Amino acid sequence: MTKNIELQNKSLFQTQGFINGEWVDAQSKKTFIVTNPANDVPIAEVANMGAQETNQAIEAAEIAFQQWKLSPIKERYSLLMKWYQLIMDNQKDLATLMVVEQGKPYAEAAGEVIYAATFVQWFAEQGKRMNGVVKSAFSPNAELKYTKEPVGVVGIVTPWNFPLTMITRKVAPAIAAGCSVVVKPSELTPLSAFALAELAQQAGMPKGLINIIPTDDAASVGNALTASATVRKISFTGSTRVGKILMKQSADTVKRTSMELGGNAPFIVFDSADINTTIEALMASKFRNAGQTCVCANRILVQSKIYDEFVDSFIKKTQQLKVGNGLEEGVTIGPLINKQALEKVDTFVQNTLSKGAECLLGGKPHELGFTFFQPTILSNVPQDSPYNCEEIFGPVAPLIKFDTEEQGIAIANDTVHGLAAYFCSQDYRQINRVNQALRSGMIGINTGIFSNEFGPFGGVKESGIGREGSELGIEEYLDIKYSLLSFQ
Ligand code: ADP
């Protein structure tokens, strides 16, 4: 099946699970097929693993952890930096693999390779800064201190929309902290995960430190990871629904959890906004990855005075998007991930139109067929539209008009989610007021893209627990040990 994917470094194309430093088949010999979302062509037949292989991986990870937790920080640093360099050196192949299994345009995929690699580089450095604290003022006859220790084996479950970054953003801090990991990638994009593991192996990562369990039976692997008392932490990115399941399952062994869950991002355009800045920010936030990110603008709230001018510019800019296979030159919108995704987006659009919304652009599956959907703009979206409470995950922009700043903020906060929020304004007092009023883990002000290794990524309310990236990301993989030593 490799004939569909042209790679310079053939070692990056793996189809087996990765356990204890070896590529292995499922014990049952079962496989599942990974297809290209742009044309439905099968691209790989992948080992279909389950609880048994997961438990083997956990055992290997525990043995690796016992050694790795004692490794000097400089050793972790060099290994992570080698891994970083290999990811960068293989940027083109990793990008090609990603386009073929995930669908995003090549330029976005090449950008994601760098984005993913920078988390490895960043956490190689952050590993040097895992400091404890000594409180010398406590008593002349005692030493009061706290130190940080790796939590142990980490179970990691990741989605398909950023097949590399969602893994490096968790695995790199875990490894830097001294942990080992068992990763279950999405069944839709396991090839990128395998390529990362292959490069980690080539970087010299000790066996058992990183294990990858591919499966199309996510629940069986999720159950095994959460049931194991050896696994001390679950780090998950995906839907709020599955996040809640994993949190409940983790309760029995009181595991630590990091949950990066669904969003329902408002994008507020105030009358004071600069139109060009606004449109640029919105295009990036709304249409990146064909609208399939958890921080994509989900509800576009536009103040009444600027509404007409905004709509005009937004339509013109959206008409310039080019839909197609991500490997084709100039394509800016790839396919949706699969048929179900297309049907879901289509149903949302039809439901919203039937409730009185108006279609200003697109509104239908694209003539290219398969899983392509037209870039779509809907206006007059009523408050009881499904868009107001669900993630769209497609190239559809619903517009809601509002009159006052208070109304805009109230609509924006009227959701159980709180991952990302955006607003555009040139009024510095308004910027301060709105920034304070929005209940959201992350806020983009006059920008549509804020995710990078420097900033803490994460949500509030039902959008999750914990932060990834920044100096906080590594703390998710560290336990605190408080010691009081008396000299009396
Ligand atoms: P998305 O809508 O982004 O696919 P999901 O939450 O369905 O979000 O999937 C994210 C990840 O969670 C994927 O790797 C998927 O296989 C996995 N997953 C889905 N259901 C379960 C489950 N019951 N237990 C563990 N992992 C699961």
Side-chain angles (χ1 to χ4, degrees), residues 157-161 184-188 215 217-223 236-243 245-246 249 391 393:
V157 179
T158 55
W160 49 265
N161 57 350
K184 191 212 86 61
S186 166
E187 55 278 26
L188 304 171
T215 184
D217 181 5
S220 73
V221 175
N223 276 326
F236 172 74
T237 297
S239 61
T240 297
R241 182 187 72 81
V242 174
I245 294 174
L246 291 173
Q249 291 177 353
E391 254 182 324
F393 251 63

Side-chain angles (χ1 to χ4, degrees), residues 2-207:
T2 34
K3 67 180 186 316
N4 300 306
I5 312 175
E6 286 179 20
L7 302 180
Q8 283 163 0
N9 181 352
K10 301 271 185 266
S11 75
L12 296 185
F13 187 85
Q14 300 289 340
T15 57
Q16 294 165 295
F18 189 65
I19 301 176
N20 204 20
E22 289 185 17
W23 293 107
V24 285
D25 285 329
Q27 283 173 1
S28 64
K29 301 288 173 213
K30 281 190 189 153
T31 56
F32 65 97
I33 302 289
V34 178
T35 55
N36 182 337
N39 51 23
D40 227 12
V41 170
I43 49 169
E45 194 176 340
V46 168
N48 199 355
M49 297 184 155
Q52 226 176 338
E53 293 89 345
T54 308
N55 288 325
Q56 277 175 3
I58 294 170
E59 221 172 284
E62 174 64 13
I63 292 168
F65 166 63
Q66 292 304 334
Q67 287 297 316
W68 187 246
K69 69 178 183 186
L70 305 173
S71 61
I73 290 299
K74 281 191 175 176
E75 187 183 326
R76 298 181 202 172
Y77 172 82
S78 343
L79 213 55
L80 284 165
M81 287 305 286
K82 268 189 209 147
W83 193 27
Y84 161 75
Q85 197 53 54
L86 284 171
I87 297 171
M88 294 298 286
D89 292 347
N90 287 277
Q91 183 190 12
K92 286 186 179 155
D93 280 345
L94 290 170
T96 304
L97 210 48
M98 200 190 306
V99 176
V100 173
E101 71 171 345
Q102 198 273 341
K104 66 180 66 179
Y106 183 84
E108 277 188 39
E112 187 187 332
V113 177
I114 299 173
Y115 178 38
T118 53
F119 283 101
V120 179
Q121 183 189 42
W122 173 267
F123 284 112
E125 289 287 351
Q126 289 303 314
K128 297 178 187 167
R129 302 186 180 102
M130 288 184 288
N131 301 321
V133 171
V134 177
K135 300 205 170 172
S136 48
F138 174 67
S139 159
N141 300 316
E143 183 182 86
L144 188 162
K145 66 175 182 180
Y146 66 83
T147 49
K148 294 179 182 176
E149 298 184 346
V151 295
V153 176
V154 182
I156 290 176
V157 179
T158 55
W160 49 265
N161 57 350
F162 290 90
L164 292 179
T165 314
M166 295 303 105
I167 295 178
T168 58
R169 203 156 77 170
K170 298 175 190 304
V171 172
I175 299 291
C179 301
S180 58
V181 302
V182 178
V183 182
K184 191 212 86 61
S186 166
E187 55 278 26
L188 304 171
T189 56
L191 305 184
S192 297
F194 297 152
L196 275 180
E198 173 61 29
L199 292 174
Q201 168 102 321
Q202 290 176 17
M205 211 70 88
K207 67 176 186 175

